[in-house]
Amino acid sequence: MTAVEDLRELGTNLHADDFSAEKNMENIGANLTESIGVSSDIQENAISSESVANSETTDAAQSCEQENLVNQDLVSNSSIKIDISNESESKSDEDEWLDIMGNGNFKKKVIKKGLGHESRPSRGDRVTVDVSYYLNEKLFEENKDLKFIVGDLDVIQGLDLVICLMEKGEKARVVIPSKLAYGEIGRTPDVPPNSDIKCDLELKEVESIEEDSLTVFERLKLGNEKRIRGNFFYDRGQYIDSIHCYERAAEYLDGVRDCSGISTEESQEIVDIRIKVYNNLAASHLKLSAYNSALKSVESVLKVQPKNVKALFRKAKILANQGSLTEAISCLNTAAALEPETKIIQAELTRLKNQKKKEQQKEQAMYQRMFPQSEPKKSKTISKLKTWVMLTGSLLAVAVGMAAYRQFHS
């Protein structure tokens, strides 16, 4: 049995409990009515006894005591009836809410029933909803005909989860805990951190999406929406979620195979958005130190635009973190030549050059510590070689001089 079926069964059991509670309340009410009827008969008998016993003081006193007891019973029975009524109303109100997570923080109450369980959306379906968000009973956002794909991080998590428990045409009120809304960060300026929110929700349409049959314009629209959603998560420091959105955007845009029938401007727009997506995807991977994935993303950009400065800059940072300083400096030199006025490129280039210089100095120092006698031995060898050359030269000069003398005097 699936989780949704479990929740359906839970809802059925709740309605069954409501029916049983109503039957019990009817029985209690009937018993109370009988009790009150009996008490009235007793009261009439007490009044009759009081009129007959005017000459009998003892009997009259007993009748007064019986009347007081009857009145106390009536008051007691009336209060019991009121208490039971209040308890019934409270229980009925609680039973109207479906406790989704089981802890009372995330729950849904049906305002208007939909078309049945078979009309509920599944993951990957595109839904159209009207939704109004409230914080402390005050409306702070309202969306009409909002479209989003279920389970794809298009909306806050609480809304993404509860929509799977709604039927087409259903209207519901939902309480969403902060961790399934905007969490510890909140949303500037209208949602403070750690804020639970309420929303009124109507599920208007449910449609399945076949990605293979999407048109170029649908892919462009969905890809750009995913890119914007990824930017939202990136700005909040939620890099895993931003990566998911950017990758989904890339899937939509990379799926454009045939650009026939669209203008040059529209074709260029697809290329531009795709480049933004892969650049932002590389930036998200960099934040998580996923250097291989980040490098793959920037290479996708540089294949299309070899002189894309952002891609060159990020590639340099990736290579530097991987220890390839020479290649990183080469990328930055190219970027600096394209945008010499960009200070961040110049600053990073200077930093990497200084880093490379320090590493070279460390290598030299380490080499000297490993081979401390190498340089003196080399100097002594050269000195000995020079001595032997001079000595040989002197002997050769003497020999030549003697040979010349003999030849001259012979």
Side-chain angles (χ1 to χ4, degrees), residues 188-208:
T188 306
D190 42 23
V191 182
N194 300 311
S195 296
D196 297 342
I197 64 175
K198 295 180 181 179
C199 67
D200 290 334
L201 183 62
E202 179 182 2
L203 177 55
K204 300 173 75 173
E205 294 291 339
V206 179
E207 56 181 322
S208 298

Side-chain angles (χ1 to χ4, degrees), residues 124 126 207-215 218-219 252:
R126 180 163 53 192
E207 56 181 322
S208 298
I209 295 181
E210 296 293 336
E211 291 192 14
D212 293 339
S213 62
L214 291 174
T215 66
E218 287 175 325
R219 287 185 174 277
Y252 287 125

Side-chain angles (χ1 to χ4, degrees), residues 369-393:
R369 288 194 298 270
M370 291 175 63
F371 306 103
Q373 301 299 323
S374 58
E375 289 297 325
K377 285 182 178 180
K378 184 177 178 182
S379 299
K380 187 178 290 185
T381 302
I382 293 174
S383 179
K384 288 182 177 180
L385 182 61
K386 288 182 178 180
T387 303
W388 278 105
V389 169
M390 291 177 63
L391 182 59
T392 305

Side-chain angles (χ1 to χ4, degrees), residues 233-245:
F233 286 121
Y234 184 88
D235 292 339
R236 292 169 62 86
Q238 297 174 242
Y239 302 117
I240 293 177
D241 292 339
S242 69
I243 288 171
H244 170 83
C245 291

